[in-house]
Amino acid sequence: MTTISIHQPVYLPWLGFIEKVTSSEKFVFLDDVQFEKNGFQNRNKIRTYDGEMWLTVPVKVKSQTLLKDVKINYSTDWINKHKKSIIQNYKKAEFFDNYWFELEKIYDEKFEYLVELNIEVIKFLFDKLKIKTKTLFSSELDISDKGSNRILEICKNLNADRYISGISGKNYLVMDDFLRQKIKLE
């Protein structure tokens, strides 16, 4: 059985993202889809002593920009804001000192593209969590279909017989198409 999951490379991925990856034999970074303004591709919340706060990576985008082509905007000092926010809210965490130096180095690299930053953070997490799931990029697969058909074609291309969807998959996946191809949806 070959289990596939697919997701955009997001900024500071959450536990559910990690769970999808670890439940799969192959994970596809969906990098050739339209950038989603105000989505998790360039922002996420962190816990603070007072509740939560957004950390947003400013980007330069035009309409219809693919995620893989989104450039980071360095006209503001967002890196220091993110670093200070993480330090202020997590420095007393038990293992903070074990990981902060490496994470800080990622922030200091000043990537040109958002996907590069997101992938480096994700790779850092995979390394620390010892995640060995095979990963690839949708842009490498040369699939032009949209929506549910796109996901189905990626699964077929990778010989999947099981696809792990996020909760929003219920809203756009055509389940009968997957069943016809003998791909189990979860």
Side-chain angles (χ1 to χ4, degrees), residues 6-134:
I6 303 168
H7 205 286
Q8 297 92 349
V10 294
Y11 182 60
L12 302 175
W14 55 93
L15 189 56
F17 180 96
I18 300 297
E19 184 179 8
K20 269 176 78 169
V21 173
T22 60
S23 299
S24 305
E25 293 167 76
K26 296 177 185 173
F27 180 82
V28 179
F29 289 110
L30 196 61
D31 66 330
D32 58 349
V33 293
Q34 185 173 332
F35 173 75
E36 183 183 330
K37 187 177 180 190
N38 297 323
F40 290 101
Q41 297 163 342
N42 72 312
R43 68 184 191 146
N44 215 327
K45 290 181 182 179
I46 63 168
R47 291 193 186 272
T48 68
Y49 292 108
D50 299 328
E52 59 189 25
M53 72 180 290
W54 284 101
L55 293 182
T56 302
V57 178
V59 294
K60 302 175 191 176
V61 291
K62 298 176 182 163
S63 64
Q64 308 299 315
T65 302
L66 295 180
L67 178 56
K68 67 183 183 71
D69 298 325
V70 172
K71 292 187 176 185
I72 297 174
N73 184 345
Y74 288 99
S75 65
T76 63
D77 193 11
W78 67 271
I79 292 173
N80 275 330
K81 178 187 178 210
H82 288 214
K83 286 167 46 171
K84 285 178 184 177
S85 297
I86 292 168
I87 290 168
Q88 180 180 2
N89 291 288
Y90 293 95
K91 69 182 172 199
K92 293 181 182 174
E94 184 176 355
F95 297 104
F96 181 83
D97 291 333
N98 295 20
Y99 303 108
W100 176 243
F101 177 72
E102 287 179 73
L103 188 57
E104 185 178 34
K105 280 175 41 180
I106 293 171
Y107 277 106
D108 291 339
E109 282 192 49
K110 287 199 168 186
F111 297 96
E112 181 177 6
Y113 292 95
L114 177 64
V115 165
E116 295 171 330
L117 169 64
N118 291 354
I119 293 298
E120 271 315 299
V121 171
I122 292 167
K123 283 172 34 181
F124 165 78
L125 292 171
F126 284 8
D127 178 60
K128 299 308 168 201
L129 296 170
K130 297 183 180 4
I131 296 171
K132 303 288 187 209
T133 304
K134 178 180 168 65

